């Protein structure tokens, strides 16, 4: 059992779990519309879970994941001091010098704007504005549920899809768990 615990944290395993659940129980989008028919902000664990799961599925789409990888590569290239946009092939020496962001992509330029493309489609169904301010409101709202293991796990899985390392996900979850006062909008993904 201990050998399999690491799989709980793997985002791809989670995606497969979601796919199996949808195959067994029907499309998730229908469930979301049935459970949260524009009834305002979710007030239960189930409602918050549906919101986060919907965001997770949106961030799991191939186009989004490709865009996140491009943002990461762009940041890595900038930090190495090269442009990364010359179209040149990397040789072995370039690959050996390449090191991912030591901060685990806790800050990734362009991520907030990219994520908003997905969030704008989902947040209004759960009572939040489709704006950067709405994203901040949603994060503050969901942070009240982070003591729940399922919610915390899904919260981290979302941030993995947003390109954060496991350590950066944990750091961001701890940050959000500490909210006592409203946060400044835009600090999530900038």
């Amino acid at each position: 059992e201990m050998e399999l615990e690491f799989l709980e944290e793997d985002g791809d395993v989670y995606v497969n779990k979601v796919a199996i659940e949808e195959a067994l129980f029907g499309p998730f989008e229908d469930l979301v519309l049935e459970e949260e028919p524009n009834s305002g902000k979710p007030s239960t664990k189930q409602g918050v879970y549906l919101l986060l799961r919907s965001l997770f599925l949106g961030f799991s789409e191939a186009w989004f994941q490709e865009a996140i990888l491009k943002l990461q590569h762009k940041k890595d290239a900038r930090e190495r001091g090269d442009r990364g946009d010359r179209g040149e092939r990397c040789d072995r020496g370039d690959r050996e010098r390449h090191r991912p962001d030591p901060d685990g992509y806790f800050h990734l330029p362009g991520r907030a704007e990219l994520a908003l493309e997905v969030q704008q489609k989902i947040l209004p169904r759960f009572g939040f504005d489709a704006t950067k301010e709405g994203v901040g409101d949603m994060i503050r709202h969901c942070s009240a549920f982070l003591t729940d293991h399922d919610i915390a796990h899904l919260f981290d899985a979302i941030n993995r899809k947003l390109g954060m390392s496991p350590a950066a996900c944990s750091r961001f979850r701890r940050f959000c768990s500490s909210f006592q006062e409203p946060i400044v909008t835009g600090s999530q993904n900038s």
Side-chain angles (χ1 to χ4, degrees), residues 6-20 56:
F6 73 94
L7 291 175
E8 271 188 38
E9 304 303 321
D10 188 287
D12 291 327
V13 171
Y14 186 82
V15 170
N16 288 328
K17 176 186 169 206
V18 169
I20 291 168
F56 178 83

Side-chain angles (χ1 to χ4, degrees), residues 121-134:
K121 299 172 188 170
I122 296 168
L123 294 184
R125 290 189 283 165
F126 292 91
F128 298 97
D129 292 336
T131 63
K132 288 192 315 186
E133 291 77 15

Side-chain angles (χ1 to χ4, degrees), residues 73-74 76-86 94:
H73 290 296
K74 186 176 180 180
D76 294 342
R78 214 174 22 251
E79 289 179 0
R80 278 193 322 265
D82 62 52
R83 303 301 295 156
D85 56 1
R86 295 183 298 235
D94 288 339

Side-chain angles (χ1 to χ4, degrees), residues 43-54:
S43 59
T44 64
K45 172 190 169 182
Q46 180 183 16
V48 170
Y49 188 85
L50 289 172
L51 163 61
L52 294 177
R53 186 170 169 204
S54 188

Side-chain angles (χ1 to χ4, degrees), residues 55-90:
L55 288 168
F56 178 83
L57 292 173
F59 294 143
S60 296
E61 292 184 21
W63 72 268
F64 187 87
Q65 288 302 297
E66 289 172 18
I68 286 290
L69 281 174
K70 286 179 184 177
L71 291 175
Q72 288 175 328
H73 290 296
K74 186 176 180 180
K75 180 177 184 176
D76 294 342
R78 214 174 22 251
E79 289 179 0
R80 278 193 322 265
D82 62 52
R83 303 301 295 156
D85 56 1
R86 295 183 298 235
E88 298 173 7
R89 296 181 67 103
C90 293

